[in-house]
Amino acid sequence: MAKSKKILSMEDSLWGTCDKLRGTVEPAEYKHVVLSLIFLKFVNDKFEQRKTELINEGKEKYIDVQSFYTMKNVFFVPENSRWSYIIQNAKQDDIAIKIDTALNTIEKQNPSLKGALPDNYYSRLGIDVSKLAALLDEINNIQTTQDAENDIMGRVYEYFLTKFALQEGKGKGEFYTPKSVVNLIAELIEPYKGTIYDPCCGSGGMFVQSLKFVQSHAGNIKDISIYGQEGTSTTYKLAKMNLAIRGIPCNLGEKAANTFTNDLHKDLRADFIMANPPFNQKDWREENELVKDSRWNGYTVPPTSNANYGWILHMVKKLSVNGVAGFLLANGALSGEGQELEIRRQLIENKLVEAIIILPRNLFYTTDISVTLWILNNNKKARVIEQNGNIKKYRNREDEVLFMDLRQMGSPFEKKYIELTPEDRTKVAEVFHTWQQVEKETKYQNIPEFCYSATIKEISEKGYNFVPSRYIEFVNRDETQDFDSSMKALQTELTELLKQEEESKKELLEVFKDLGYEIKL
């Protein structure tokens, strides 16, 4: 709990920095201004940390030798890029130029940062010197290396999206994934060796936490290759920064690009896919665009009204022969009609769906809704996992799908949020991996209000509906409320209300027109 308080106070401090910029920088720019400076501070803190290590080891004569830093995956920071130099000159009229120069110099000396840092950004913004100085003073108080276990850059990004995403009109799915959720995905699909891919990698937190998972299970991160793509330029830069400061090699493509219209890894076939796509994207393709795309080969073309199934089929296409995917989607994807229903049927008939797991509410900063974790497996018949030289073999349930409901799990986190504890994740992973074993004396059992193994026949009889409560037995009748029926009832009610609103608007416009005042909308 102490760690949570540290993070919260840091985030509060960061929000305070934004107040210093009011009237000088557009609100949409706040987070980018702060994040680049946080990165500069973080890089410097790591540099100073390594410098102290060298002195303590009696190697003081090497404190200005770059190779003694890069050997530990620490960026060497030149004199005019050091945080102490920036702070000393914080109140000078040319401080914006000095910051731009510092960032530019660090990028030039470190190839892994190519395209990651802003170019002449602060000079172009024209921030008032006194406000920029106040911002630097605030950031100077933040100890970025204080908690080595936390993905600081990712958490900062998540926090700023909390404050700004809705104001900027961005979708609720565009945010950083909490590490407890990433760890759950990793514990289920076990990405110990091979290629990991995220088609919408955001700030790169999914990669950071998955590699921490591998290390915590005595795996070797050198056995992992990372590929990703991000459509937003500023987020792409943040991801490169986030991974670079940890010394994590990756291929995010040469630029930010839309995954659907400009796939930067067309020939990639990944062993593991971990993703949290933006939820319910509207108009993600034009009506006649991508209709014959190879990613839909053998499947119904996803509807233009919602990208959820576009993401699903994109990931299906990217799976290697034995590939496994774990990804999050809004719950609405479980029971959509039309093209979505047809694609679910095809996924079941192709024996790709392994598990559907509904998660608790309040896991994310930017939305309190419950979401679903999907596990797709390209080889449910037999899967081999190599972990640190040990071989695990799964003889999977090829003709069954495991449904799980985790809504009663989780512990309070920072007052109003929920996180899945290590005990929660262990329980879910143990049930899942036990279920995967098709031995004569299997220990798996269906558990009311928690899990149920449904046959393809049962799923077919229920119209290929993936809502877990359609299969899991509930003892408490309040929990057995049919989700699909409830949503349809709500849909009908909302449709009627919107219809009434439209009629009322027309009547009001007619009244004004009769009075000689025409209102144009």
Side-chain angles (χ1 to χ4, degrees), residues 274-307:
M274 303 173 70
N276 179 15
F279 296 163
N280 304 321
Q281 281 179 294
K282 308 298 180 186
D283 304 319
W284 60 283
R285 68 176 180 88
E286 297 296 331
E287 191 64 43
N288 296 317
E289 185 182 38
L290 302 177
V291 173
K292 296 182 179 180
D293 195 281
S294 62
R295 286 171 286 190
W296 330 139
N297 187 30
Y299 289 89
T300 298
V301 178
T304 58
S305 59
N306 193 313

Side-chain angles (χ1 to χ4, degrees), residues 188-462:
L188 296 180
I189 71 174
E190 300 179 299
Y192 294 115
K193 186 176 184 179
T195 301
I196 299 178
Y197 171 62
D198 185 344
C200 40
C201 66
S203 64
M206 192 77 78
F207 298 134
V208 172
Q209 295 304 329
S210 61
L211 289 187
K212 285 182 179 179
F213 166 83
V214 172
Q215 290 174 315
S216 69
H217 288 73
N220 189 340
I221 62 173
K222 291 182 179 179
D223 291 334
I224 299 293
S225 298
I226 287 177
Y227 289 82
Q229 183 162 344
E230 171 55 39
T232 305
S233 178
T234 50
T235 310
Y236 168 83
K237 289 177 181 292
L238 178 60
K240 293 205 71 172
M241 285 191 283
N242 199 12
L243 296 170
I245 57 180
R246 288 167 177 79
I248 299 176
C250 62
N251 183 342
L252 304 185
E254 293 187 355
K255 59 182 180 180
N258 183 303
T259 304
F260 291 121
T261 57
N262 187 10
D263 183 0
L264 299 178
H265 306 292
K266 286 185 178 179
D267 298 324
L268 177 69
R269 295 297 177 266
D271 301 301
F272 305 98
I273 296 177
M274 303 173 70
N276 179 15
F279 296 163
N280 304 321
Q281 281 179 294
K282 308 298 180 186
D283 304 319
W284 60 283
R285 68 176 180 88
E286 297 296 331
E287 191 64 43
N288 296 317
E289 185 182 38
L290 302 177
V291 173
K292 296 182 179 180
D293 195 281
S294 62
R295 286 171 286 190
W296 330 139
N297 187 30
Y299 289 89
T300 298
V301 178
T304 58
S305 59
N306 193 313
N308 287 340
Y309 279 76
W311 286 113
I312 292 174
L313 294 185
H314 172 82
M315 288 185 274
V316 168
K317 178 69 173 179
K318 291 296 184 183
L319 287 175
S320 65
V321 174
N322 297 308
V324 185
F327 54 90
L328 302 171
L329 288 177
N331 288 351
L334 299 171
S335 58
E337 300 291 338
Q339 293 148 286
E340 295 187 351
L341 170 58
E342 185 61 20
I343 294 172
R344 284 200 305 279
R345 181 187 66 77
Q346 293 162 345
L347 290 171
I348 289 293
E349 291 180 351
N350 290 338
K351 299 182 179 181
L352 278 171
V353 184
E354 187 160 37
I356 299 292
I357 305 170
I358 195 163
L359 302 181
R361 295 180 59 177
N362 296 312
L363 281 173
F364 300 95
Y365 271 14
T366 49
T367 179
D368 66 351
I369 65 171
S370 169
V371 303
T372 308
L373 167 58
W374 295 49
I375 306 291
L376 302 186
N377 190 336
N378 222 8
N379 185 6
K380 290 175 67 179
K381 186 174 291 186
R383 185 180 175 213
V384 176
I385 296 291
E386 182 180 343
Q387 178 190 358
N388 199 27
N390 298 319
I391 302 295
K392 293 195 290 184
K393 296 182 179 180
Y394 292 140
R395 291 178 54 212
N396 295 23
R397 298 172 184 264
E398 188 179 16
D399 297 314
E400 297 176 56
V401 174
L402 179 64
F403 289 91
M404 302 186 76
D405 190 326
L406 313 189
R407 288 178 296 171
Q408 300 305 310
M409 286 186 167
S411 295
F413 176 67
E414 294 185 4
K415 294 183 180 180
K416 61 180 180 178
Y417 304 113
I418 293 292
E419 69 174 351
L420 293 170
T421 65
E423 293 75 21
D424 292 331
R425 301 195 303 270
T426 296
K427 179 180 178 180
V428 174
E430 285 180 351
V431 169
F432 177 68
H433 293 312
T434 299
W435 171 83
Q436 286 182 309
Q437 304 297 323
V438 188
E439 303 295 342
K440 290 182 179 179
E441 298 180 1
T442 180
K443 296 179 181 179
Y444 172 80
Q445 290 183 335
N446 294 326
I447 302 173
E449 302 186 11
F450 181 50
C451 61
Y452 183 85
S453 181
T455 65
I456 288 179
K457 185 174 184 294
E458 288 177 284
I459 296 171
S460 171
E461 289 172 349
K462 292 186 183 294

Side-chain angles (χ1 to χ4, degrees), residues 61-84:
K61 63 181 179 180
Y62 300 115
I63 60 174
D64 290 320
V65 179
Q66 184 168 345
S67 60
F68 277 80
Y69 294 86
T70 54
M71 66 187 292
K72 293 288 186 178
N73 289 322
V74 174
F75 296 125
F76 179 80
V77 182
E79 194 72 39
N80 67 345
S81 296
R82 293 179 187 172
W83 187 256
S84 56

